[in-house]
Amino acid sequence: MTTTSAEPAAARPALGRRAAISAKHLRTDRWWVEPVYTVVGLSAWLIWGLVHTLLIRDYYFIEGPGYHYLTPFFSPCVNVECPPDSALLGRWAPSWVLPYAILSLPLLLLFRLTCYYYRRAYYRSYWLSPPACAVPDGHAKYTGETRFPLIMQNLHRYAFYAAVLVSIINTIDAVRSFWGTEGFGFGLGNILLVGNVVLLWAYTISCHSCRHIVGGRLKHFSRHPVRYRAWTFISRLNTRHKELAWITLGTLALVDIYILAIAAGWFSDPRFFN
Amino acid sequence: MARHTFRVWRGDANGGQLSDYEVEVNEGEVVLDVLHRLQATQTPDLAVRWNCKAGKCGSCSMEINGKPKLACMTRMSTFADGETVTVTPLRTFPVIRDLVTDVSFNFQKLREMPAFAPPPGLKPGEYRMQQVDVERSQEFRKCIECFLCQNVCHVIRDHEENKPAFSGPRLFIRAAELDMHPLDARTDRKEFAKEEQGLGYCNITKCCTEVCPEHIKITDNAIIPMKERVVDNRYDPLVWLGRKIFRRDQMPGYLGGPTQERLPVSEIVADRAGANSPYGDDITFPLPTESLTYEHTKED
C-alpha cells in the first residue's frame, strides 16, 4: 500500500515517467518464429488459391457413369463456361467474370479476413501491431478498430451468416459427388471432400460470432437451457478455433490439389465402391 | 547450487541503468527469492514490491527476460545454467524506483467504471441467482490485479497517448463480468465499454491472455463477447430494426417505460468522481451513533 510522504516536493523523485530502458525489448526467446510461419503459411495459401482460381483448369473431375468431384475453390460454379453438371446454382455469370465461384469466394475471404483468429494472426504477422507480446508495435500511431476501414471488422457476423450458406453448398457438393448416373459409388476423392466439409463446418460454427449469437448474448442461461447447451458445445469447439482455421486451410488446399491432380491425369482416383 | 548473472534495472524517473550482479541460486527458488538474496547480500536498497510469494496478491509484477511475469511464480529452473536473467520494471507505467512502478492508472480507470447495480428494490441479502448464470462472471473474479495484461497491451504500452481513451484488458473483464452478471440492472455497459473504455482500440492480439497468471481467457471470454455485445447494440442493422419494431425497451439509451422507474443513464455526469458508494451516496461517515443498528455487548 502506498503511503504519503510529508517530505518537501523537491526531495521526492520525479514521477510520471517510465523507466528509461534503452533496449526496445529484452525478449531472449525466438518470438519471431510464429509471425514468420504465419506469413509463410497464409501467403502460400493465398498465392495458391489465386493461381488456381485464375488458371481455370482442372477444377472438375468426372469419370465413369457420372461420378464427379468439384473443387471447393470453384463451388458453386456460376460462370457460363462451367460444365453443366457442376453448376448447382445455374450458369449465368458472363465468361469474363472471375473467379468462377464469384458468389462464394469473396464471402469466404471476407469471413476469414474478419475472423477473430485471423485478425490476431495478420495484425501480428503482417502489420506488426505488435509482432509479438512485449515487442514494440511497428507503427508510430495506433487507433485499433475504432475507425474506417478496421471498424468494419464488426460486421464479422454477416460474413458468418454467408459462410453458413456456403458451407451448405459445399455439403450439397460433397453429397452429390456420391451419385453418378447409375447410382451410388465412392472413391478417395469422396472421402477427402466429406472430411473437408466436416472440418469446414467445425471451423464455421466454432466462430466467436456464432458462439455469441447462439447463447453468449444471453444474460440468464438458466432461462434458456437448450441455447445454453448449444453455447457450451460451441465454446468447446471455439477453444480450437485457431487450430481449425489452419486445418481447414490445409484440407481446402489438399482437396483442391487432389482434384487438380486427378483431373489433369497425374494419377487416377482409387474407387472403393462402384 | 548454481550461479547466475542478474541484470537488474536500477534507477528512478530521472534515469537509470541495468546493473549486473553475480548471485547464487538454490534448487526450487524463484526469481523473487533471488531478488531477496540480492537485497540481503549485495544491494540492500533495491526496491521490489512483493507480498504473498504465492501468485495471489499480484504485487511482484515485473519483466523477466523481456516477458511480463510475476517474480514469485517464475522458477529459476526455467533458465539454462549460467543464463543471464534480465529483470526490469513494468514498461507501461511510470517508475517509482528500481522495480517498483506506479500502477495508479489502473485504479483510476476502475474508479471511472459504474459499480455493480442490483435491480431497484433488491436489498443486499436478498440476492438470489443460479450458478449457471453467474459462472461466466466468476471466471473474471479470479483476477488478482497484477496488471500484467495492462502492461503488455500494446495499445498503451507502445502508445502513451492512448491512455486517456483506453482502459485496458483488466477493465474489459470487469465490464464483461458486470454485463454478464445476472443481477446487474444497468443496460448501458456496452455503450460505456465502447465510448468510455475504448473497447474498439483492442485488436485482439491476445497478449493479455498469454500473460495472465490466473489463466483467465481474457480475449475469448471477455473482450470478444463484449465486442459482439457492442455489435448487437451499435452495428447490427437487423438487431436495430428488430428492436425498433418489436422491442423498443432494448434500444440504446432507453430510459424506461410506464412500468419502470427512470434510471440514471451514466455516472459520468454525477457530481462526484468515481462510482457511487455501495453504502449510498447520501450517507456521510462517520455515521451518527444513534443510527447504528447494533449495540456493543455490555461488560459485566
Side-chain angles (χ1 to χ4, degrees):
Chain A
M1 191 171 161
T2 312
T3 52
T4 311
S5 160
E7 60 188 303
R12 273 186 252 137
L15 291 175
R17 267 184 255 153
R18 298 181 181 202
I21 304 167
S22 51
K24 286 194 168 180
H25 72 86
L26 291 162
R27 281 187 66 164
T28 52
D29 56 333
R30 300 195 308 154
W31 56 266
W32 44 269
V33 168
E34 190 189 316
V36 168
Y37 282 176
T38 308
V39 167
V40 170
L42 289 182
S43 302
W45 193 89
L46 280 170
I47 290 167
W48 168 253
L50 197 67
V51 166
H52 194 198
T53 49
L54 297 184
L55 265 183
I56 321 175
R57 51 171 288 195
D58 300 327
Y59 57 89
Y60 186 64
F61 171 76
I62 186 155
E63 185 186 52
Y67 293 118
H68 59 273
Y69 305 135
L70 175 66
T71 167
F73 283 21
F74 283 77
S75 171
C77 209
V78 293
N79 198 289
V80 290
E81 303 286 335
C82 296
D85 299 342
S86 72
L88 189 66
L89 300 180
R91 297 181 297 163
W92 42 265
S95 57
W96 51 266
V97 172
L98 292 176
Y100 276 16
I102 188 72
L103 277 186
S104 59
L105 283 196
L107 294 173
L108 285 180
L109 198 63
L110 199 66
F111 181 49
R112 298 212 177 219
L113 205 64
T114 56
C115 161
Y116 285 98
Y117 165 67
Y118 285 107
R119 272 145 80 177
R120 170 190 182 273
Y122 63 72
Y123 283 142
R124 278 196 186 197
S125 311
Y126 288 85
W127 197 242
L128 308 178
S129 182
C133 302
V135 176
D137 199 326
H139 304 266
K141 219 170 138 23
Y142 175 86
T143 52
E145 299 179 343
T146 57
R147 294 183 188 175
F148 185 82
L150 293 182
I151 199 168
M152 303 304 282
Q153 305 275 31
N154 286 305
L155 297 178
H156 180 52
R157 67 179 56 173
Y158 287 96
F160 161 73
Y161 296 142
V164 169
L165 297 179
V166 177
S167 295
I168 291 171
I169 291 170
N170 287 334
T171 310
I172 295 172
D173 274 341
V175 172
R176 267 164 49 109
S177 68
F178 281 98
W179 299 93
T181 50
E182 293 175 11
F184 180 82
F186 72 94
L188 181 58
N190 291 94
I191 294 171
L192 292 178
L193 276 172
V194 169
N196 178 51
V197 159
V198 168
L199 288 163
L200 279 181
W201 273 112
Y203 169 69
T204 308
I205 64 169
S206 68
C207 157
H208 291 83
S209 285
C210 174
R211 183 182 181 219
H212 172 78
I213 294 158
V214 164
R217 66 196 305 276
L218 299 172
K219 201 166 178 89
H220 297 273
F221 281 147
S222 57
R223 294 178 197 161
H224 304 271
V226 176
R227 288 179 73 180
Y228 173 61
R229 285 188 70 118
W231 177 84
T232 310
F233 172 71
I234 290 172
S235 296
R236 274 205 295 271
L237 270 183
N238 180 258
T239 59
R240 298 272 171 272
H241 198 50
K242 170 186 174 180
E243 288 80 0
L244 286 166
W246 280 104
I247 289 169
T248 48
L249 285 190
T251 57
L252 279 166
L254 177 71
V255 169
D256 185 60
I257 292 170
Y258 180 80
I259 293 173
L260 177 134
I262 54 175
W266 298 351
F267 52 84
S268 60
D269 177 45
R271 299 295 297 178
F272 303 124
F273 186 75
N274 281 339
Chain B
M1 193 176 74
R3 291 193 75 78
H4 277 270
T5 302
F6 258 61
R7 304 194 76 199
V8 183
W9 194 84
R10 305 296 309 274
D12 58 25
N14 294 317
Q17 70 292 316
L18 289 166
S19 303
D20 287 2
Y21 302 94
E22 287 287 322
V23 63
E24 68 181 53
V25 175
N26 299 317
E27 194 178 345
E29 285 186 332
V30 293
V31 168
L32 185 61
D33 293 326
V34 180
L35 294 174
H36 281 160
R37 178 163 302 122
L38 284 178
Q39 277 185 326
T41 55
Q42 302 180 43
T43 171
D45 61 340
L46 174 67
V48 187
R49 186 187 280 135
W50 64 280
N51 194 355
C52 76
K53 297 175 82 175
K56 288 294 165 197
C57 74
S59 301
C60 61
S61 301
M62 54 189 74
E63 299 193 6
I64 299 164
N65 279 355
K67 284 184 175 174
K69 286 184 174 182
L70 295 180
C72 71
M73 299 304 284
T74 307
R75 290 187 169 276
M76 286 306 298
S77 59
T78 57
F79 302 106
D81 277 347
E83 183 179 346
T84 300
V85 180
T86 308
V87 186
T88 51
L90 300 178
R91 280 202 194 224
T92 306
F93 308 116
V95 66
I96 296 174
R97 202 162 78 90
D98 299 343
L99 300 175
V100 179
T101 50
D102 173 8
V103 292
S104 57
F105 163 80
N106 307 294
F107 295 109
Q108 177 63 36
K109 292 291 180 185
L110 194 58
R111 276 199 299 276
E112 289 168 9
M113 271 194 84
F116 170 69
L122 199 62
K123 296 185 182 63
E126 296 175 352
Y127 299 169
R128 299 289 179 272
M129 53 199 119
Q130 300 213 22
Q131 177 59 33
V132 71
D133 289 336
V134 82
E135 61 193 4
R136 275 183 301 179
S137 296
Q138 281 176 332
E139 179 188 4
F140 310 131
R141 298 296 293 187
K142 291 194 298 181
C143 176
I144 57 173
E145 300 201 314
C146 62
F147 303 126
L148 289 178
C149 58
Q150 300 283 92
N151 171 60
V152 80
C153 182
H154 72 112
V155 178
I156 46 177
R157 183 185 175 93
D158 300 326
H159 306 279
E160 177 76 22
E161 72 279 6
N162 285 339
K163 274 187 177 173
F166 185 72
S167 291
R170 193 276 167 264
L171 282 306
F172 294 148
I173 66 170
R174 177 73 177 148
E177 176 200 331
L178 291 170
D179 201 45
M180 295 172 184
H181 196 292
L183 284 184
D184 186 74
R186 292 191 75 105
T187 55
D188 61 346
R189 297 212 181 270
K190 304 159 190 65
E191 197 65 11
F192 187 82
K194 179 185 176 294
E195 295 296 337
E196 306 297 332
Q197 294 189 297
L199 186 67
Y201 280 84
C202 170
N203 68 345
I204 46 169
T205 39
K206 281 198 168 179
C207 287
C208 49
T209 307
E210 269 184 40
V211 300
C212 179
E214 283 291 310
H215 307 294
I216 301 170
K217 299 283 178 280
I218 300 173
T219 321
D220 284 331
N221 289 349
I223 296 180
I224 295 175
M226 280 310 284
K227 275 185 175 256
E228 287 292 321
R229 284 165 181 241
V230 169
V231 175
D232 281 348
N233 227 34
R234 288 294 291 260
Y235 300 115
D236 191 329
L238 287 187
V239 171
W240 179 85
L241 196 65
R243 283 178 175 168
K244 191 88 181 158
I245 299 169
F246 302 112
R247 295 295 302 268
R248 292 188 78 88
D249 58 316
Q250 289 186 3
M251 292 291 283
Y254 177 75
L255 293 177
T259 58
Q260 201 174 348
E261 281 188 27
R262 205 176 165 90
L263 292 171
V265 172
S266 169
E267 283 159 32
I268 298 298
V269 294
D271 57 354
R272 59 189 62 76
N276 291 348
S277 163
Y279 302 100
D281 290 321
D282 52 345
I283 291 178
T284 48
F285 291 95
L287 294 171
T289 49
E290 58 270 22
S291 72
L292 297 178
T293 55
Y294 68 90
E295 290 180 6
H296 284 290
T297 49
K298 293 191 173 61
E299 289 178 17
D300 292 329

